[in-house]
Amino acid sequence: SQTIHQWPATLVQPVGSPLSLECTVEGTSNPNLYWYRQAAGRGLQLLFYSVGIGQISSEVPQNLSASRPQDRQFILSSKKLLLSDSGFYLCAWSVSRGPWAGELFFGEGSRLTVL
Amino acid sequence: ELKVEQNPLFLSMQEGKNYTIYCNYSTTSDRLYWYRQDPGKSLESLFVLLSNGAVKQEGRLMASLDTKARLSTLHITAAVHDLSATYFCAVDDSNYQLIWGAGTKLIIKP
């Protein structure tokens, strides 16, 4: 069966510090991968998605970046965090084709507080 | 541009009652998803609706899709406290990208 792992689960970072969140998927190959952000009490905002190694699409311009160095690894980074980067970050995967493409499976989430 | 509207955004109800959450979307799509999110937790897939007239049921929850009306409903039967959560619908934009509703926060009181 497929699993998705995301870490760290919680982090508190000062403004201006770097960020690295990591996500890995097991039990599938060539998944589509996604990074979402959810502000407190709000809906989901798609940040990045990837359909393959090194292929990243950005949905929202910001000081965040994403990379996919391996097929089942997705990393969210920032060189300098802003207060507005605080939120709940969710990694997700989906199959890339077929009738079940589109259904997302989410990691446990990473709660980021920027002070 | 595909837009997804959920209503109500907040719902407080008594145990044992029935209620329905609505999800309207603005352009043609035949793929719709319902997710549940418990406070402080991630999202869990509840239902995948892939065609007009699709109906899925799991316990006290039943979801349906009417692609002609561009409407999906999530019906709760005889609500219990454990169903308290935020429910999101999401619609496929035909490019395997999901457009999300704002979520319905459901509180079920004993």
Side-chain angles (χ1 to χ4, degrees), chain A residues 15-38:
Chain A
V15 169
S17 64
L19 171 73
S20 181
L21 302 179
E22 190 164 341
C23 172
T24 59
V25 181
E26 297 176 359
T28 188
S29 59
N30 195 31
N32 290 344
L33 296 172
Y34 305 81
W35 278 111
Y36 281 88
R37 177 169 62 197
Q38 186 178 34

Short mmCIF file of all heavy atoms in Angstrom, two decimals, chain A residues 15-38:
data_model
loop_
_atom_site.label_atom_id
_atom_site.label_comp_id
_atom_site.label_asym_id
_atom_site.label_seq_id
_atom_site.Cartn_x
_atom_site.Cartn_y
_atom_site.Cartn_z
N VAL A 15 11.83 35.01 11.99
CA VAL A 15 11.78 35.70 10.70
C VAL A 15 13.19 35.78 10.12
O VAL A 15 14.16 36.05 10.83
CB VAL A 15 11.21 37.13 10.89
CG1 VAL A 15 11.39 37.95 9.63
CG2 VAL A 15 9.73 37.05 11.26
N GLY A 16 13.27 35.52 8.82
CA GLY A 16 14.56 35.61 8.15
C GLY A 16 15.36 34.32 8.14
O GLY A 16 16.39 34.24 7.45
N SER A 17 14.89 33.33 8.84
CA SER A 17 15.62 32.04 8.86
C SER A 17 15.19 31.19 7.67
O SER A 17 14.14 31.42 7.07
CB SER A 17 15.34 31.31 10.17
OG SER A 17 13.98 30.96 10.28
N PRO A 18 15.98 30.17 7.33
CA PRO A 18 15.61 29.29 6.21
C PRO A 18 14.62 28.23 6.64
O PRO A 18 14.38 28.00 7.83
CB PRO A 18 16.96 28.67 5.81
CG PRO A 18 17.74 28.68 7.09
CD PRO A 18 17.31 29.89 7.84
N LEU A 19 14.05 27.59 5.64
CA LEU A 19 13.05 26.55 5.88
C LEU A 19 13.29 25.38 4.94
O LEU A 19 13.64 25.57 3.76
CB LEU A 19 11.64 27.09 5.62
CG LEU A 19 10.51 26.06 5.63
CD1 LEU A 19 10.22 25.61 7.05
CD2 LEU A 19 9.26 26.62 4.98
N SER A 20 13.10 24.19 5.46
CA SER A 20 13.09 23.00 4.62
C SER A 20 12.09 22.01 5.18
O SER A 20 12.22 21.54 6.30
CB SER A 20 14.48 22.37 4.54
OG SER A 20 14.45 21.21 3.71
N LEU A 21 11.07 21.72 4.38
CA LEU A 21 10.09 20.68 4.71
C LEU A 21 10.24 19.57 3.69
O LEU A 21 10.39 19.83 2.50
CB LEU A 21 8.67 21.23 4.66
CG LEU A 21 8.33 22.41 5.56
CD1 LEU A 21 6.87 22.84 5.33
CD2 LEU A 21 8.56 22.08 7.00
N GLU A 22 10.17 18.36 4.17
CA GLU A 22 10.39 17.23 3.27
C GLU A 22 9.21 16.28 3.29
O GLU A 22 8.55 16.08 4.31
CB GLU A 22 11.66 16.48 3.65
CG GLU A 22 12.08 15.45 2.63
CD GLU A 22 13.51 14.98 2.82
OE1 GLU A 22 14.30 15.69 3.49
OE2 GLU A 22 13.84 13.91 2.29
N CYS A 23 8.98 15.68 2.15
CA CYS A 23 7.86 14.77 1.95
C CYS A 23 8.34 13.60 1.09
O CYS A 23 9.00 13.82 0.07
CB CYS A 23 6.74 15.53 1.26
SG CYS A 23 5.33 14.55 0.73
N THR A 24 8.01 12.40 1.51
CA THR A 24 8.33 11.23 0.68
C THR A 24 7.10 10.33 0.57
O THR A 24 6.30 10.23 1.49
CB THR A 24 9.50 10.42 1.24
OG1 THR A 24 9.17 9.97 2.56
CG2 THR A 24 10.77 11.25 1.30
N VAL A 25 6.99 9.70 -0.56
CA VAL A 25 5.89 8.78 -0.84
C VAL A 25 6.47 7.40 -1.06
O VAL A 25 7.51 7.25 -1.71
CB VAL A 25 5.10 9.24 -2.07
CG1 VAL A 25 3.93 8.29 -2.35
CG2 VAL A 25 4.58 10.65 -1.88
N GLU A 26 5.81 6.40 -0.53
CA GLU A 26 6.25 5.02 -0.70
C GLU A 26 5.14 4.19 -1.33
O GLU A 26 3.95 4.48 -1.15
CB GLU A 26 6.63 4.41 0.65
CG GLU A 26 7.81 5.09 1.33
CD GLU A 26 8.09 4.52 2.70
OE1 GLU A 26 7.36 3.61 3.13
OE2 GLU A 26 9.02 5.01 3.35
N GLY A 27 5.52 3.19 -2.09
CA GLY A 27 4.55 2.24 -2.61
C GLY A 27 3.93 2.63 -3.93
O GLY A 27 2.97 1.98 -4.38
N THR A 28 4.46 3.64 -4.58
CA THR A 28 3.97 4.02 -5.90
C THR A 28 5.12 4.64 -6.67
O THR A 28 6.15 5.00 -6.10
CB THR A 28 2.79 5.01 -5.78
OG1 THR A 28 2.21 5.22 -7.07
CG2 THR A 28 3.25 6.35 -5.22
N SER A 29 4.96 4.74 -7.96
CA SER A 29 6.01 5.36 -8.76
C SER A 29 5.39 6.44 -9.64
O SER A 29 4.21 6.39 -9.99
CB SER A 29 6.72 4.31 -9.64
OG SER A 29 5.79 3.67 -10.49
N ASN A 30 6.22 7.44 -9.94
CA ASN A 30 5.82 8.57 -10.77
C ASN A 30 4.53 9.24 -10.29
O ASN A 30 3.63 9.51 -11.09
CB ASN A 30 5.67 8.14 -12.23
CG ASN A 30 5.62 9.34 -13.16
OD1 ASN A 30 6.23 10.37 -12.88
ND2 ASN A 30 4.88 9.23 -14.24
N PRO A 31 4.42 9.51 -9.01
CA PRO A 31 3.21 10.20 -8.55
C PRO A 31 3.26 11.68 -8.92
O PRO A 31 4.34 12.24 -9.13
CB PRO A 31 3.27 10.03 -7.03
CG PRO A 31 4.75 10.02 -6.74
CD PRO A 31 5.37 9.29 -7.90
N ASN A 32 2.10 12.30 -8.98
CA ASN A 32 2.04 13.76 -8.94
C ASN A 32 2.17 14.16 -7.48
O ASN A 32 1.58 13.54 -6.59
CB ASN A 32 0.72 14.27 -9.51
CG ASN A 32 0.62 14.06 -11.01
OD1 ASN A 32 1.61 13.81 -11.69
ND2 ASN A 32 -0.59 14.16 -11.53
N LEU A 33 2.94 15.23 -7.24
CA LEU A 33 3.17 15.68 -5.87
C LEU A 33 2.76 17.14 -5.73
O LEU A 33 2.89 17.93 -6.67
CB LEU A 33 4.65 15.50 -5.50
CG LEU A 33 5.15 14.06 -5.47
CD1 LEU A 33 6.66 14.02 -5.27
CD2 LEU A 33 4.45 13.27 -4.39
N TYR A 34 2.29 17.48 -4.54
CA TYR A 34 1.72 18.79 -4.29
C TYR A 34 2.17 19.33 -2.92
O TYR A 34 2.31 18.56 -1.97
CB TYR A 34 0.19 18.72 -4.28
CG TYR A 34 -0.43 18.12 -5.52
CD1 TYR A 34 -0.49 16.75 -5.68
CD2 TYR A 34 -0.97 18.93 -6.52
CE1 TYR A 34 -1.06 16.18 -6.81
CE2 TYR A 34 -1.55 18.37 -7.65
CZ TYR A 34 -1.58 16.99 -7.79
OH TYR A 34 -2.15 16.44 -8.91
N TRP A 35 2.35 20.65 -2.86
CA TRP A 35 2.46 21.33 -1.59
C TRP A 35 1.30 22.32 -1.47
O TRP A 35 1.09 23.14 -2.37
CB TRP A 35 3.77 22.11 -1.47
CG TRP A 35 4.94 21.29 -1.07
CD1 TRP A 35 6.02 20.96 -1.84
CD2 TRP A 35 5.18 20.70 0.21
NE1 TRP A 35 6.91 20.19 -1.12
CE2 TRP A 35 6.43 20.02 0.14
CE3 TRP A 35 4.49 20.68 1.42
CZ2 TRP A 35 6.97 19.34 1.22
CZ3 TRP A 35 5.03 19.99 2.50
CH2 TRP A 35 6.26 19.32 2.40
N TYR A 36 0.58 22.22 -0.36
CA TYR A 36 -0.49 23.14 -0.04
C TYR A 36 -0.14 23.87 1.26
O TYR A 36 0.59 23.36 2.11
CB TYR A 36 -1.82 22.40 0.19
CG TYR A 36 -2.54 21.98 -1.05
CD1 TYR A 36 -2.28 20.75 -1.65
CD2 TYR A 36 -3.53 22.78 -1.60
CE1 TYR A 36 -2.98 20.34 -2.78
CE2 TYR A 36 -4.24 22.37 -2.72
CZ TYR A 36 -3.96 21.16 -3.30
OH TYR A 36 -4.66 20.76 -4.42
N ARG A 37 -0.75 25.05 1.42
CA ARG A 37 -0.67 25.75 2.69
C ARG A 37 -2.10 26.07 3.14
O ARG A 37 -2.96 26.42 2.33
CB ARG A 37 0.12 27.05 2.57
CG ARG A 37 0.18 27.86 3.87
CD ARG A 37 1.19 28.98 3.79
NE ARG A 37 0.87 29.93 2.76
CZ ARG A 37 1.74 30.81 2.25
NH1 ARG A 37 2.97 30.83 2.71
NH2 ARG A 37 1.37 31.66 1.33
N GLN A 38 -2.28 25.97 4.44
CA GLN A 38 -3.57 26.29 5.04
C GLN A 38 -3.33 27.24 6.19
O GLN A 38 -2.70 26.90 7.19
CB GLN A 38 -4.27 25.02 5.53
CG GLN A 38 -5.68 25.24 6.03
CD GLN A 38 -6.34 23.95 6.46
OE1 GLN A 38 -5.70 23.04 6.99
NE2 GLN A 38 -7.65 23.84 6.24
#
